[in-house]
Amino acid sequence: MEKGDLKLINKGEEEEMELQGYRLCRWRLALVGFGVLCTGGFLLLLLYWMPEWCVKSTCTRTTARDAEVVLLRSTDEFRRWFLARVQVMLAPGSNPFHSLETQTTSPSSPHSSPFSNPAASPVANGHTPHPSDGSPAQELKSRFSDYQPTQIRYFTLHSTKYYWSHEVQNFQVLIGLEDLQPKCSTIHKEHTTGLTRNQQEYRKLFFGVNDIAVKVPSVFKLLIKEVLNPFYIFQLFSVILWSADEYYYYAVAIVFMSVVSIATSLYTIKKQYIMLHDMVTAHSVVRVSVCRANKDIEEILSTDLVPGDVMVIPNNGTIMPCDAVLVSGTCIVNESMLTGESVPVTKTNLPNSAEGEGDSAYNTEEHKRHTLFCGTNVIQTRFYTDELVKAVVVRTGFSTAKGQLVRSILYPKPTDFKLYRDAYLFLLCLVAVAGIGFIYSIVLSVMHEVPAKTIIIESLDIITITVPPALPAAMTAGIVYAQRRLKQSGIFCISPQRINICGQINLFCFDKTGTLTEDGLDLWGVQRVENSSFHLSEENAYKENLVKSQFVACMATCHSLTKIEGQLSGDPLDLKMFEATGWILEEATEEETSLHNRIMPTVVRPPKQLLPPEPALSSEQDMELYELSSAYEIGIVRQFPFSSALQRMSVVARLLGEKRMDAYMKGAPEVVASLCKNETVPQDFAEVLEDYTKQGFRVIALAHRRLESKLSWHKVQNISRDHIETNMEFLGLIIMQNKLKTETPGILQDLHRANIRTVMVTGDNMLTAISVARDCGMIPPDDTVIIADAHPPHFGQPARITWRYADKPSKTTRYEDVNISLEDVCDEPKPKEQYHFAMNGKSFATIAEHFPDMLQKLVLRGTVFARMAPDQKTQLIEALQGVDYYVGMCGDGANDCGALKRAHGGISLSELEASVASPFTSRTPNISCVPSLIREGRAALITSFCVFKFMALYSIIQYISVTLLYSILSNLGDLQFLFIDIAIILIIVFTMSLNPAWKDLVPRRPPSGLISGPLLFSVLTQILICLGFQILTFLWVQKQAWYTPWTPFTDVCNHSSHLNVSDLNGTDLDEHNIQNFENTSLFYVSSFQYLIVAIVFSKGKPFRQPSYKNWPFVLSTVGLYIFLLFILFHPVESIDETLEIVCVPFEWRLKLFLIIIVNAAVSVLVETFILDIVLWKLVFSRDKQGNFGIPPAAPTPQGGIDLQVYKRLSWLSCLRKRAPKARYMHLAKELMVDPDWPPKPTTTTEANCSTYDIRINS
């Protein structure tokens, strides 16, 4: 092991980090301590802000194994630094899953050895786990007291413990039972007996207390953390400086602002912590029953649970305190905490397959239908005879699903947005400007032999002027107002910083069912199969002649419905299907259970009116025999729940009185047909299915199989679903109608007009999805859809993609070869037929793995992604973000959580008011919330730009004034500063942010960053204008005939001498030389300049409502204008004395007014004409709106680039030889000149090392 090695922890995961080991160095610590004393504690602050400097300045590099301190750096785009202290824990062994009896007892063993003496007590989580004599932990310790304890090294970061592993020579996280990678059969065989108390205490040392501890920090801790923010430290420095310069009023005002800001921030943070704490602790500590290895059932607190414990789920349900896999019985669970959907889910016991027969390693994601997740509500349980419903604990604490969710809230990733990065760069520019002023003021003061104290104070004062203290509060105002407006529109936000990012969204993904289409499915009809051929379609199955058919039996049994408080509850599709049969579902009573040999929790039967009429009977005995024989009931013996990966579900059922059982299956037609005997599937199956799916129907296929008589109930409970779901007989199709929501087409058309691409991501059938995409306008009728069928490597054959062209509604020829002419981007483009790619989840996975470069090209024009699993939806979002799209995602909450969290702006249509799974949640159950969110995002983004530009100009204007006054050894007065900063700046900033969003979405987007041509041009031109007019004022006043250096005895106002010479005996000398003609003139001009740039920068259309509709802003600016004009033309002695303004002749006041009028005219002319009309169209549109690969506005919403715009932009592109900034633009530009793109129909692309071979299929 080399010294100073670099380790990688959480490899391949979202929280992947580089790790370096360090050891504390005493002489370095002493040197740093001396530096802290010399700098008055500033060095300590710097090391607090920069963890990497802290570690490198106080420690020396060492191996990770011997480290006392670890320095970690994230490998994502943020490259954040973290440090953690390595701690040592004593334990009887190093592996929590080893049996204590089998631990190595040799004192020389470095890896696992029990305790040596009672004094060596193991410590976990800062607590001793054996507080009193006689406890299990105390017995554990005394039992191994003769042996050397093992030292376990670990560190804690973000509520996760990382333990040193000798086997892999790295730090690892102990997740739970999954660390053993047990197979399903192994869990049944080795983990269902329970743990002994000793084993439970031993594992608790490693896994800690089963508690998701959200500690609410004390107000003092929060205050210290908030106050140590660099911004507040800078404010503290400013206040001290102003106090030293006797600017008490301004210092007090800033302190007041800071106190209000800190108090508000502390209140908000504390409230969020309390809300999260209350959400987590609700029902988190409960009493649970666990099975011990000696078959006893013991009641313990849920905080004592460890992975491997066998938990008994109570009959009346519970809130799950951990993640556990069900090994016996069935549970009905509400998982709304995780998914946002309150539809009850049936959880069945983990299949116990024989070794090698479909026995896979247990995984919480793959086996989620058998896993009870922490925080979910078990509504009720079902069990057979006296068997308890048991679950094996697999994860505890922060490793659980709920724990991971809470961790993502406690430790969120920073928001990566160009605006914020540019803001820091802009502040650095202001600091550089301040540095110039700092040097200038020092040189000037030294030349005039100013005292050293004054030089220091005035030089540092320049820095506090240039970097505005109110900037963060001002930037936040627009977001807060937007959040309030969103709330009024029924959109709730838990991540306010994302509102600005939503203003940049140029692509929106939509789930289909429940989002674009109605949530509820209606049964359109059924099409049964008999003798391998389809019957004519029928409206429903509620008929006497079908009541005893296998088709209806399948509809009545193959579902996951349950009765909760007497009401049928479950998946909406299952509900519609079951209701269409007219059958009755009953939970099995004890009497009914005995009839079915105690095997069924649920019984279904048809209503009596559908059964054949009863014949006349002669005796009571005959009556009883008949009732027994004519009772037509089906009991559900075993359920294999629906799996999105398998795209099917099945049940094993038995008809009352029958010895043999039946298997029923329903699912995606293609999947069901592939599991049926070929001779039972009609020959025209593909054509019939395609006909329905192209019309937009959702099609479900049914199948049946008579099981062997040798299969008993016990065998069925342990059999793999692969044994059941094979050699089925095809029964027919159920056709469900999923209507478009009335708002969908109109909203999508609005998005298309705004040049926002729309993409469908669904778990439904490919052709159904394409049909819906055409119906809602996502794909125009005349556009071509290219289906990419990808196949992974098979029997030595490389991975390949087969391209085929889907039918157009107006054409009859299948797989038509479409000639798409592609011209050079710099030539005038010719009209060409537009195309869209469609693919399913399997193809997407294959292309992502074997054709990564191809995937980027496909997502550029991919419009329909069907049969997508939840994790694939997230991968698609990442792929789109990888080519620089700003991606939005809209889903109904179920299965979309990962994608909603990953997208730049995810909005859930869940009915829950605030879903922790999505940054935005809409109360309105349709996509009308999407344009509202984007409009508010654009308005907030433009507001942020306006405020930032205004604050930058405010600083520079004040900086110019002060710098000019420094040249005559003067400055602005204390109350002048106060008037400008409080009365003008704060009022204007907080009112100019109130403009509501514009009513329509326009085709262009706001800029994404401050470092862009138009914005820089705007700021720099306004700076030059203000600089020019202030210099003009400063020099012009000195050229006036009446000008003379001002003294208290100076009288240039003729009849207004009393304004200057009142009570001269009591007049103190003006030590700071505040009162002079230059100061007064610059104060008037600069005060008007603040208002001028506020109006100029307060942009309205096309992203915000016009400023004249913002009444608070209008009243504020008009009020300030009136006040300033009043004191300019009608001096008031008390006001002039307060603001330290001197009297100037009336003709100079008129000249000042002329300067202000010309200044305003030039500012407005430059900003509105030159910037908005000329530069916006020529530079900004080219820079940001070159819609390479983005659909144009109507009338062809999803096709390509409008030809005239395209012509101009292409010409500009060629003229300037500038490559597009966004990767998707660059790719689209390349593909325009690629003669082999898009792929021709009936061709195949094969993966061949790093190249692709394209073959024509014969």
Side-chain angles (χ1 to χ4, degrees), residues 576-597:
K576 286 288 182 183
M577 184 181 73
F578 184 76
E579 286 170 358
T581 64
W583 285 39
I584 298 159
L585 181 142
E586 290 183 355
E587 308 292 344
T589 62
E590 288 182 14
E591 191 176 318
E592 288 167 332
T593 305
S594 64
L595 285 174
H596 296 285
N597 296 332

Side-chain angles (χ1 to χ4, degrees), residues 20 50 122 199 417 622 632 660 974 981 993:
Q20 300 171 25
M50 311 288 285
Q199 286 174 320
F417 191 38
D622 291 336
Y632 190 81
R660 292 172 68 179
D974 193 357
D981 291 318
S993 302

Side-chain angles (χ1 to χ4, degrees), residues 437 440-441 444 448 462 465 956-972 1023 1025-1038 1043 1073 1076 1078-1079 1081-1083 1085-1086 1089:
Y440 164 79
S441 63
L444 203 66
H448 288 86
I462 281 280
I465 288 168
I956 295 297
I957 290 169
Q958 200 168 79
Y959 170 80
I960 293 167
S961 302
V962 170
T963 307
L964 288 172
L965 290 173
Y966 272 11
S967 65
I968 58 167
L969 302 184
S970 179
N971 201 349
L972 289 173
I1023 287 174
I1025 291 166
C1026 293
L1027 174 65
F1029 281 98
Q1030 282 205 46
I1031 291 174
L1032 172 67
T1033 306
F1034 183 76
L1035 296 176
W1036 200 6
V1037 70
Q1038 294 174 346
Y1043 176 80
N1073 189 24
N1076 52 63
E1078 291 89 346
N1079 171 289
S1081 301
L1082 287 178
F1083 172 75
V1085 171
S1086 64
Q1089 282 181 339

Side-chain angles (χ1 to χ4, degrees), residues 335-480:
E335 293 189 327
S336 59
M337 197 284 297
L338 292 178
T339 64
E341 288 298 304
S342 55
V343 174
V345 180
T346 302
K347 301 281 185 172
T348 58
N349 59 305
L350 189 71
N352 185 11
S353 307
E355 199 68 44
E357 296 181 5
D359 192 17
S360 58
Y362 171 76
N363 179 280
T364 49
E365 183 59 37
E366 286 181 23
H367 298 94
K368 63 182 178 183
R369 284 291 185 175
H370 314 293
T371 306
L372 305 171
F373 292 103
C374 179
T376 58
N377 183 10
V378 179
I379 301 169
Q380 64 184 43
T381 62
R382 292 175 178 170
F383 54 93
Y384 313 113
T385 62
D386 296 326
E387 189 178 357
L388 296 171
V389 179
K390 297 178 185 176
V392 177
V393 177
V394 289
R395 293 184 180 189
T396 57
F398 277 101
S399 295
T400 61
K402 183 179 178 181
Q404 296 290 351
L405 199 60
V406 172
R407 281 184 71 245
S408 70
I409 297 169
L410 282 174
Y411 313 105
K413 272 190 173 185
T415 309
D416 180 35
F417 191 38
K418 197 168 183 290
L419 169 67
Y420 305 125
R421 295 199 303 270
D422 289 354
Y424 289 119
L425 286 174
F426 216 94
L427 282 175
L428 285 175
C429 292
L430 290 179
V431 170
V433 171
I436 295 168
F438 178 77
I439 295 167
Y440 164 79
S441 63
I442 290 176
V443 171
L444 203 66
S445 299
V446 170
M447 286 172 63
H448 288 86
E449 298 179 356
V450 175
K453 180 190 174 185
T454 308
I455 292 175
I456 294 168
I457 290 174
E458 291 191 346
S459 302
L460 293 174
D461 196 28
I462 281 280
I463 297 172
T464 65
I465 288 168
T466 316
V467 183
L471 181 62
M475 292 286 284
T476 307
I479 296 172
V480 171

Side-chain angles (χ1 to χ4, degrees), residues 74 147 167 198 287 314 502 562 608 631 637 703 801 863 953 1031:
S74 63
Y147 298 94
E167 286 76 17
N198 283 353
R287 298 199 71 84
C502 288
T562 185
K608 289 181 179 178
V637 178
I801 307 172
T863 303
L953 259 294
I1031 291 174

